[in-house]
């Protein structure tokens, strides 16, 4: 083991106990100490789900990237295990950037971007047993020189690998000389010798960002999906916000020619904190998506907090009737306790329900019609703090507003998005885990993830209706 890796492992082992348990999310992955960003190497290996992540243990800010490591049997209860990769080689001295994992000949193989001190981004591999990883002797296995002329060698990162038949493929993020984001495709028979295949997709409209980070490519319910995180976008109506977005393109893929005909891009998440998603396929066939629940541009933590960043809840994906559905993995339901339900309640003005409160919750509110313009739900609420979700029945929009969640910096606090076609009932499922709120609308038709920074005793839930509405409320505490 290198000195750098040993130092990082010792540092995290020594310092993780400094962080009070109460500060940490109960069922989302967060770093033991320091900073985390993108999920990496999300994969099933030897009976467990592995999740690595971009990690800088030494401070709560981004720094030379390591790969932190957690494992789980059910994606809800996570066990933190020692940091897996440190920037300790000539070819990754400036960081082990994002990547993915695959099983090959019984080994767990990580593929990541090694960044050199002169800022070259090349793809590297490491072989392991689920706990210890050794970097490949042939690293880097893909260099920028293998790309066509018009591709950037500086921005070439985040390989996502998979196997089809006897061939490994990987997609990586890139941009072209016109500073438009694109995704490149490589193939290999042995994970060490790679061949450039094609530019799988690019920002042809010019509106989809200057660099595409963290691509993923997979089949789901008979359709192919390209997921990526474009940088530097201008806001577009209700669909995309300014800055870094995470989007997907559904499309048709020809496995022989590697042509991908993509449809229009759509947002993966309409909330305030969501980036760099990655998927994996489980042995039972489910395609699971997980992302970093934070925005590069906002800091939402109290000054004294010694860690920053967490992941979303893993989400099961389905594509049904031309629409992508995302729902929390069903394993979450095992952790439900203390159910409290109300059926067909009339809400006029402001109202609270006995027993409907808390900060680690699985809460579903179904609005079953009525006569109102706006319906508001306030979470993590008390006299001083609140985070509001406002449904506007005329505009058919939903808005999240965390202005009063306790934030003391000038960061984006409100986002509004358009709901899909009006349905008779509007079903809002909130997954609350202390400092995060994930909203799943109409059984996963749309999702919005948001981080808050609200003292934990602000645990009230308020309903407010201008007019009158009928609701069903179903609450479970999440208990581990
Ligand atoms: C995305 C990203 C990746 C890169 C990593 C560095 O959030 O910028 O493109 O590999 O973070 O930490």
């Amino acid at each position: 083991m290198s000195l750098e890796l040993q130092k990082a492992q010792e540092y995290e082992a020594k310092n993780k106990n400094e962080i009070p348990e109460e500060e940490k999310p109960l069922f989302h992955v967060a770093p033991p100490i320091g900073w985390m960003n993108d999920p990496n190497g999300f994969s099933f290996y030897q009976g467990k789900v592995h999740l690595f992540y971009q990690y800088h243990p030494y401070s709560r800010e981004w720094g030379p990237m390591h790969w932190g490591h957690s494992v789980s049997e059910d994606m809800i209860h996570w066990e933190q295990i020692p940091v897996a990769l440190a920037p300790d080689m000539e070819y990754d001295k400036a960081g082990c950037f994002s990547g993915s994992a695959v099983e090959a000949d019984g080994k767990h193989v990580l593929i990541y971007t090694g960044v050199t001190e002169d800022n070259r981004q090349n793809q590297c591999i490491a072989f392991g047993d689920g706990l210890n990883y050794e970097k490949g002797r042939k690293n880097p296995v893909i260099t920028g020189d293998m790309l066509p002329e018009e591709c950037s060698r500086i921005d070439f990162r985040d390989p996502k690998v998979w196997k089809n038949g006897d061939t490994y493929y990987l997609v990586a993020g890139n941009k072209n000389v016109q500073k438009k984001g694109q995704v490149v495709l490589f193939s290999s028979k042995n994970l060490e010798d790679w061949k450039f295949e094609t530019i799988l997709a690019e920002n042809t409209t010019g509106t989809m960002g200057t660099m595409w980070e963290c691509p993923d490519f997979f089949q789901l319910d008979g359709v192919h999906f390209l997921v990526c995180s474009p940088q530097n976008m201008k806001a577009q109506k209700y669909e995309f916000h300014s800055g870094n977005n995470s989007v997907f393109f559904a499309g048709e893929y020809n496995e022989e020619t590697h042509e991908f005909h993509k449809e229009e891009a759509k947002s993966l998440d309409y909330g305030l904190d969501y980036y760099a998603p990655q998927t994996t396929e489980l042995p039972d066939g489910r395609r699971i998506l997980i992302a970093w629940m934070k925005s590069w541009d906002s800091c939402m933590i109290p000054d004294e907090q010694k860690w920053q960043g967490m992941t979303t809840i893993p989400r099961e994906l389905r594509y049904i009737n031309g629409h992508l559905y995302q729902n929390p993995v069903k394993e979450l339901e095992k952790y439900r306790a203390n159910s409290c339900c109300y059926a067909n309640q009339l809400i006029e003005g402001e109202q609270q329900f006995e027993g409907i409160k808390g900060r680690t919750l699985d809460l579903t509110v179904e609005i079953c019609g009525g006569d109102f313009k706006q319906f508001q739900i306030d979470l993590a609420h008390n006299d001083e703090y609140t985070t509001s979700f406002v449904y506007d029945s005329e505009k058919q929009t939903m808005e999240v507003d965390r202005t009063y969640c306790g934030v003391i910096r000038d960061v984006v606090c409100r986002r509004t998005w358009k709901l899909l076609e009006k349905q008779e009932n509007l079903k809002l499922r909130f997954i609350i885990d202390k400092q995060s709120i994930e909203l799943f609308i109409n059984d996963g038709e749309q999702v919005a993830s948001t981080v808050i920074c609200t003292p934990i005793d602000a645990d009230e839930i308020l309903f407010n209706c201008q007019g009158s509405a009928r609701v069903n409320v179903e609450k479970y505490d999440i208990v581990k």
Side-chain angles (χ1 to χ4, degrees):
M1 185 188 300
S2 70
L3 281 176
E4 289 85 345
L5 184 59
Q6 198 184 343
K7 185 177 148 216
Q9 290 192 349
E10 284 172 6
Y11 185 87
E12 81 181 352
K14 186 161 161 256
N15 290 286
K16 67 179 180 196
N17 297 331
E18 265 193 47
I19 299 193
E21 251 335 280
E22 316 83 72
E23 248 183 33
K24 285 290 187 71
L26 183 69
F27 52 99
H28 289 73
V29 178
I33 182 94
W35 161 276
M36 95 159 1
N37 56 290
D38 318 352
N40 295 155
F42 190 34
S43 54
F44 186 86
Y45 177 72
Q46 290 188 347
K48 288 194 175 156
V49 177
H50 288 252
L51 181 74
F52 303 81
Y53 46 85
Q54 290 287 279
Y55 179 35
H56 185 240
Y58 305 114
S59 79
R60 58 178 227 187
E61 306 301 335
W62 191 87
M65 281 290 115
H66 297 60
W67 275 36
H69 193 182
S70 289
V71 290
S72 177
E73 275 168 21
D74 60 11
M75 296 171 287
I76 301 298
H77 185 90
W78 291 93
E79 183 195 347
Q80 182 245 323
I81 57 176
V83 49
L85 298 178
D88 51 15
M89 304 297 284
E90 198 73 10
Y91 53 78
D92 63 17
K93 262 265 138 69
C96 300
F97 274 20
S98 283
S100 53
V102 70
E103 183 171 345
D105 303 325
K107 291 206 172 109
H108 201 204
V109 185
L110 312 182
I111 307 207
Y112 68 98
T113 301
V115 185
T116 62
E117 280 180 316
D118 60 354
N119 208 19
R120 287 293 148 138
Q121 302 188 341
N122 298 309
Q123 316 320 322
C124 304
I125 55 179
F127 300 92
D129 59 1
L131 189 61
N132 298 304
Y133 294 82
E134 208 168 300
K135 293 178 182 172
R137 268 175 281 133
K138 291 194 178 165
N139 278 344
V141 293
I142 304 180
T143 63
D145 302 333
M146 293 160 71
L147 292 168
E149 275 288 283
E150 66 278 14
C151 299
S152 168
R153 276 133 181 74
I154 308 281
D155 288 294
F156 174 36
R157 57 181 177 268
D158 313 335
K160 175 72 199 295
V161 65
W162 71 96
K163 195 176 187 187
N164 191 6
D166 64 352
T167 309
Y168 296 98
Y169 290 94
L170 73 73
V171 282
N174 190 226
K175 69 175 171 204
N176 64 21
V177 283
Q178 281 104 35
K179 296 202 176 70
K180 284 186 187 147
Q182 59 186 19
V183 167
V184 291
L185 176 74
F186 283 80
S187 70
S188 169
K189 293 284 179 210
N190 58 13
L191 292 168
E192 288 189 321
D193 304 295
W194 291 88
K195 175 173 158 245
F196 171 81
E197 290 286 354
T198 190
I199 295 172
L200 185 72
E202 52 192 331
N203 172 7
T204 35
T205 55
T207 56
M208 295 304 295
T210 56
M211 161 70 193
W212 286 3
E213 299 191 305
C214 302
D216 197 344
F217 192 58
F218 55 87
Q219 200 174 1
L220 175 72
D221 295 315
V223 173
H224 271 86
F225 285 85
L226 177 69
V227 163
C228 65
S229 294
Q231 290 184 302
N232 307 319
M233 279 177 63
K234 291 178 191 152
Q236 292 168 43
K237 286 273 161 59
Y238 290 113
E239 192 61 26
F240 303 116
H241 56 82
S242 54
N244 290 15
N245 284 254
S246 289
V247 310
F248 70 94
F249 301 89
E252 258 178 52
Y253 178 58
N254 183 324
E255 291 189 356
E256 307 292 306
T257 62
H258 304 303
E259 274 170 284
F260 179 56
H261 293 288
K262 56 182 172 32
E263 296 168 13
E264 230 183 4
K266 297 210 175 90
S267 254
L268 270 167
D269 192 289
Y270 293 94
L272 291 157
D273 295 282
Y274 188 88
Y275 200 60
Q278 183 172 97
T279 72
T280 191
E281 190 181 12
L282 297 183
D284 63 14
R286 282 181 295 165
R287 175 65 58 176
I288 312 293
L289 177 85
I290 192 164
W292 182 37
M293 192 155 42
K294 184 173 148 46
S295 154
W296 276 111
D297 293 332
S298 64
C299 178
M300 287 297 293
I301 55 171
D303 280 343
E304 58 286 0
Q305 193 173 300
K306 293 201 165 88
W307 60 279
Q308 179 162 211
M310 57 184 134
T311 62
T312 62
I313 193 155
R315 299 167 185 177
E316 299 177 10
L317 299 183
R318 291 300 309 271
Y319 193 63
I320 303 165
N321 294 332
H323 193 80
L324 185 67
Y325 287 82
Q326 306 178 44
N327 279 296
V329 288
K330 64 172 188 290
E331 286 82 349
L332 179 66
E333 289 161 33
K334 286 193 306 185
Y335 294 89
R336 285 172 165 179
N338 311 327
S339 79
C340 180
C341 301
Y342 291 86
N344 200 21
Q345 298 291 306
L346 182 68
I347 307 228
E348 288 172 313
E350 192 176 289
Q351 192 160 335
Q352 274 177 284
F353 292 102
E354 175 85 41
I356 305 290
K357 62 179 195 166
R359 288 289 289 273
T360 48
L361 294 183
D362 184 347
L363 168 77
T364 300
V365 179
E366 201 172 359
I367 306 171
C368 313
D371 184 15
F372 63 89
K373 185 178 173 307
Q374 286 191 339
F375 189 99
Q376 177 168 338
I377 303 173
D378 286 345
L379 303 174
H381 178 96
N382 67 9
D383 289 346
E384 192 173 354
Y385 302 105
T386 205
T387 292
S388 310
F389 290 82
V390 182
Y391 166 50
D392 189 306
S393 69
E394 282 170 14
K395 294 195 193 131
Q396 274 301 103
T397 57
M398 191 81 204
E399 178 183 86
V400 51
D401 184 351
R402 65 173 170 200
T403 308
Y404 303 106
C405 78
V407 58
I408 53 163
R409 296 182 182 84
D410 188 9
V411 299
V412 177
C413 281
R414 272 163 66 176
R415 189 150 285 154
T416 308
W417 67 99
K418 197 98 189 151
L419 295 170
L420 296 184
E421 255 162 66
K422 193 164 185 166
Q423 299 180 8
E424 218 170 304
N425 296 355
L426 179 69
K427 200 164 161 192
L428 306 173
R429 180 175 177 196
F430 297 95
I431 304 298
I432 307 173
D433 188 359
K434 300 183 188 171
Q435 305 299 2
S436 71
I437 304 172
E438 291 163 272
L439 166 60
F440 296 82
I441 301 178
N442 290 337
D443 300 307
E445 238 174 37
Q446 292 181 321
V447 192
S449 308
T450 295
V451 169
I452 57 175
C453 47
T454 311
I456 214 76
D457 56 356
D459 63 354
E460 291 168 33
I461 295 174
L462 239 64
F463 299 85
N464 199 331
C465 177
Q466 296 171 3
S468 67
R470 295 242 159 228
V471 297
N472 298 323
V473 183
E474 185 182 336
K475 182 230 73 170
Y476 301 90
D477 293 331
I478 298 296
V479 174
K480 264 181 31 186

